[in-house]
Each structure stands twice: as structure tokens, then as C-alpha cells.
């Protein structure tokens, strides 16, 4: 905590009001904003969510999955599912830019809870059906936790892949959260503590100042905690499956990556152990995959949650890091497990 206080005070002393106040977002389609280049739906509050469809045509699909992207990503990050698996199972994939990312409008009131209702409205606006599957990885996992809490009646199946965990959840026993935090690289420890405890304008300064850029988590430095296998998969993904990285923060870093961390590391509206079994009659299933070698999401916490929530089908991948899902054969196998078991 001392380093957080020192950094916060230093930020106040060396930065003026202009440097501490987040700039207004450059909204897509506005006079000073980037152009709208994706199809979008209009939500009930007037905001727009941009989306991308993949897989088999919606009207022919047997399985309709809404895919939630993670930190510093977008709807353009493709799931490397083998084409034969997608066609064999009849999978329709709906990707979307979460609020503030890509071509989706920013949402200053964004919260863990609001993300679930964005998913629900997206499904309704695109006529996905009364029930659908949701799948999210890494930081996108917090949206899936929210869907389990707030819209379980809309779900057919749930997939969590190396899902986000809040190291300050009250349900974590003893020093599990603290010990897990201390195992992370210093950049993660400092950034997460500031996101948790400091005012939002201090966190904005921390994420944008030039003096301590080597001490914070950024999209460019996010690979610090990747295993060697993760780095190989990431390189392959950038070559074959990922497009449009320049659009991720095009409306402003504050409304995308910075707000993401503020939302996820502040106090949640619920505790994961408050979530009830969404499929009490076994009419669906929840699967959670965790890499044992993951240096970003501690396996000890996902293992603990899965033990406390026995309706979660827990899969621990012995040689898996943070990116194993994006290995095509592994992805295909996981999708079969997710949809057929």
C-alpha cells in the first residue's frame, strides 16, 4: 500500500489538472471521431454495440455462441476453431466490441452488472433466440461471471477460459488473494493496487504518464507474464486470426482498457459464490478451463471457486499458459466439450 500512496502523491505533485483529467472520448461517427466501419445495433439507452458474425449462417446454426473479448482486444480477435469442427457442429459465432472498444459507444456508467445486460440486448436485437451460449476468456471472463449472475435464464451453456478473478473478492479464503497477487510481475501488482484503491483520475494518470511506463500494465507489455508457449501462440494468432489492433483504443484509452481495469478491480455488485447453479435440472452446463502454467490468472483461485461451485465442470490444463485456447486443435477440442458434454 505504501508504494501506491507514494505514487499517487507524486502524481498529484508533478501533474497538472489537464494531465489528470481523462479527455472526452472520440465517439465513432462524431465530427472528430473515427468512422463507423462495422455493423451495429442500437441498445435501449441509445448506445450502439458493434458486432461481427462468424461460423455457419445464423439461420442454419445448431449452436449460437456469443463470444466476449478480453483486455485490449476487440471483436476482431478470431477464435481459431477448425473449420471442419464449426461446420460439423453447426456453430454460429457472434463477436462484439464491448462498450468503449472498437466501434461500440463508450459507457461512462459501465459496470460488471451492465455488461451482462449488454450481452442480453445484443442477443435480442439480432434475434439470436430466447437462449444462447456465452464464451469468454481472460478479462472477458468477468462478463461471463456477470451473465451467470444476472441472466442465467437466457443461457444454454457457459464457457470460461482462464477467466478473470478479482484478487479482492471477499469469498477468497485467508491470504489466497494476497499471495496470488504477490506472485504476479511487479507491473501487475502495482497497477492492480492503484486500480483498486486510488481515485479514477489517479489511475488515469498512472496509465498514461511517461515517467513510470515500465512499471504499469499496458497492452504492449501484457506479454510479460506469458510462457514461451504462450508467446508462440500469440505470434501465430497475430499472423492468422487477429485483425484491426489499431481500432481497439480508437475512441480513447480511458473508455476502453483503463475503464476495463477500473470496473474489474473495484468492488463488485456480487460475490462469485453468490451465483446459483444456472442449470439445476442439467439442461445445460458450465465449463471452466484453467492453465496450470498461467502467470496471469492463478490456478489456485479458479480451482478454489470450482470446488465451491460443484456445478462448474473444471478442466485444468497441465501444460497450459494463458493462451492455450488459441491453439487451433485445442480450441476445436474445447468447443466440442463445451457444446456436446
Amino acid at each position: 500500500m505504501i508504494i501506491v500512496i507514494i505514487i499517487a502523491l507524486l502524481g498529484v505533485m508533478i501533474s497538472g489538472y489537464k494531465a489528470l483529467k481523462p479527455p472526452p472520448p472520440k465517439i465513432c461517427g462524431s465530427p472528430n471521431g473515427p468512422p463507423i466501419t462495422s455493423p451495429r445495433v442500437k441498445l435501449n439507452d441509445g448506445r450502439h454495440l458493434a458486432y461481427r458474425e462468424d461460423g455457419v449462417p445464423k439461420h442454419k446454426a445448431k449452436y449460437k455462441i456469443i463470444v466476449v473479448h478480453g483486455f485490449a482486444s476487440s471483436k476482431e480477435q478470431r477464435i481459431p476453431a477448425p473449420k471442419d469442427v464449426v461446420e460439423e457442429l453447426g456453430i454460429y459465432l457472434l463477436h462484439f466490441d464491448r462498450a468503449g472498444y472498437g466501434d461500440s459507444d463508450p459507457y461512462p456508467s459501465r459496470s460488471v452488472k451492465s455488461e451482462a445486460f449488454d450481452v442480453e440486448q445484443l442477443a435480442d436485437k439480432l434475434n439470436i433466440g430466447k437462449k444462447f451460449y456465452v464464451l469468454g476468456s481472460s478479462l472477458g471472463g468477468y462478463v461471463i461471471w456477470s451473465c451467470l449472475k444476472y441472466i442465467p435464464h437466457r443461457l444454454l451453456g457457459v464457457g470460461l477460459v482462464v477467466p478473470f478473478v478479482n484478487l479482492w473478492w471477499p469469498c477468497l479464503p485467508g491470504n489466497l488473494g494476497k499471495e496470488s497477487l504477490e506472485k504476479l510481475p511487479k507491473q501487475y501488482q502495482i497497477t492492480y493496487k492503484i486500480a483498486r484503491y486510488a481515485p479514477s483520475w489517479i489511475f488515469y494518470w498512472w496509465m498514461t504518464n511517461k515517467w513510470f511506463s515500465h512499471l504499469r500494465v499496458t497492452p504492449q507489455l501484457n506479454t510479460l507474464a506469458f510462457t514461451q508457449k504462450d508467446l508462440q501462440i500469440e505470434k501465430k494468432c497475430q499472423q492468422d486470426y487477429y485483425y484491426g489492433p489499431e481500432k481497439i483504443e480508437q475512441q480513447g484509452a480511458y473508455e476502453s482498457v483503463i475503464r476495463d481495469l477500473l470496473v474489474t478491480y473495484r468492488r463488485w455488485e456480487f460475490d462469485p459464490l453468490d451465483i446459483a447453479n444456472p442449470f439445476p435440472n442439467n439442461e445445460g452446463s458450465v465449463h471452466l478451463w484453467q492453465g496450470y502454467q498461467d502467470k496471469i490468472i492463478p490456478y489456485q483461485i479458479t480451482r478454489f471457486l470450482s470446488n465451491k461451485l460443484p456445478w462448474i465442470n473444471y478442466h485444468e490444463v497441465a501444460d497450459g499458459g494463458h493462451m492455450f485456447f488459441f491453439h487451433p486443435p485445442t480450441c476445436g477440442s474445447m468447443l466440442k466439450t463445451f457444446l456436446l458434454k
Side-chain angles (χ1 to χ4, degrees):
M1 276 300 297
I2 294 178
I3 189 170
V4 174
I5 295 172
I6 293 174
I7 290 173
L9 291 175
L10 183 59
V12 172
M13 289 187 292
I14 66 177
S15 304
Y17 176 73
K18 184 176 180 180
L20 295 174
K21 183 180 179 181
K26 298 178 180 179
I27 299 175
C28 286
S30 66
N32 296 318
I36 300 170
T37 59
S38 305
R40 309 198 302 176
V41 296
K42 188 175 182 179
L43 305 183
N44 296 340
D45 61 5
R47 288 184 294 119
H48 296 85
L49 286 185
Y51 66 91
R52 180 179 64 81
E53 298 171 293
D54 205 353
V56 304
K58 181 170 55 179
H59 67 281
K60 293 183 179 180
K62 183 177 180 180
Y63 301 101
K64 298 173 184 176
I65 307 175
I66 297 180
V67 182
V68 184
H69 70 77
F71 177 72
S73 186
S74 75
K75 67 181 183 306
E76 305 303 330
Q77 185 167 28
R78 299 174 180 270
I79 291 180
K83 186 177 180 180
D84 61 333
V85 173
V86 172
E87 293 180 349
E88 173 191 346
L89 298 183
I91 302 174
Y92 163 83
L93 298 164
L94 176 59
H95 303 257
F96 71 103
D97 289 328
R98 292 193 286 110
Y101 277 97
D103 285 356
S104 289
D105 291 339
Y107 187 33
S109 299
R110 177 151 66 104
S111 67
V112 174
K113 185 176 183 178
S114 72
E115 294 276 11
F117 295 112
D118 279 3
V119 170
E120 183 177 39
Q121 286 193 58
L122 177 69
D124 290 340
K125 300 295 181 182
L126 291 175
N127 299 311
I128 298 303
K130 291 183 179 180
K131 293 193 175 186
F132 46 84
Y133 294 81
V134 290
L135 175 65
S137 64
S138 193
L139 199 74
Y142 88 84
V143 181
I144 308 301
W145 291 120
S146 184
C147 289
L148 281 166
K149 173 64 178 177
Y150 295 111
I151 60 168
H153 57 289
R154 300 299 305 271
L155 306 177
L156 281 171
V158 177
L160 293 139
V161 183
V162 293
F164 170 85
V165 294
N166 187 321
L167 301 172
W168 287 272
W169 275 333
C171 67
L172 300 181
N175 292 321
L176 180 57
K178 179 182 178 182
E179 292 170 357
S180 298
L181 179 66
E182 291 173 349
K183 293 177 182 178
L184 295 174
K186 276 294 181 186
Q187 290 89 340
Y188 287 79
Q189 295 184 40
I190 297 172
T191 298
Y192 291 172
K193 287 179 180 178
I194 297 176
R196 174 71 178 182
Y197 296 111
S200 58
W201 52 272
I202 288 290
F203 186 61
Y204 168 73
W205 170 82
W206 171 252
M207 292 295 288
T208 57
N209 79 84
K210 298 178 180 178
W211 295 280
F212 301 106
S213 59
H214 63 292
L215 288 176
R216 65 170 179 259
V217 174
T218 65
Q220 293 74 30
L221 295 177
N222 202 33
T223 57
L224 280 171
F226 280 5
T227 65
Q228 193 60 40
K229 186 178 289 186
D230 283 338
L231 292 172
Q232 294 172 357
I233 295 174
E234 171 73 2
K235 182 178 180 180
K236 184 67 174 176
C237 280
Q238 291 181 356
Q239 292 173 348
D240 299 344
Y241 299 105
Y242 190 68
Y243 303 93
E246 70 284 348
K247 294 181 61 177
I248 292 172
E249 299 179 30
Q250 67 177 353
Q251 298 183 92
Y254 186 76
E255 289 297 340
S256 52
V257 295
I258 294 177
R259 191 176 292 283
D260 238 1
L261 294 176
L262 285 172
V263 167
T264 52
Y265 277 105
R266 296 300 169 93
R267 187 174 299 277
W268 284 34
E269 300 94 335
F270 65 93
D271 191 287
L273 295 191
D274 295 334
I275 299 174
N277 183 358
F279 308 115
N281 300 314
N282 295 320
E283 65 273 33
S285 59
V286 179
H287 292 266
L288 191 160
W289 285 269
Q290 176 63 51
Y292 183 79
Q293 305 294 335
D294 193 343
K295 298 179 182 180
I296 297 177
I297 306 298
Y299 75 86
Q300 294 92 337
I301 295 181
T302 51
R303 184 189 287 180
F304 165 79
L305 293 173
S306 298
N307 286 334
K308 289 293 184 179
L309 301 171
W311 41 267
I312 292 180
N313 295 283
Y314 183 63
H315 313 273
E316 195 166 281
V317 183
D319 62 346
H322 194 67
M323 294 291 292
F324 66 87
F325 176 57
F326 292 94
H327 178 239
T330 303
C331 179
S333 176
M334 290 169 66
L335 283 175
K336 287 183 176 181
T337 299
F338 172 43
L339 298 173
L340 301 180
K341 295 184 179 180

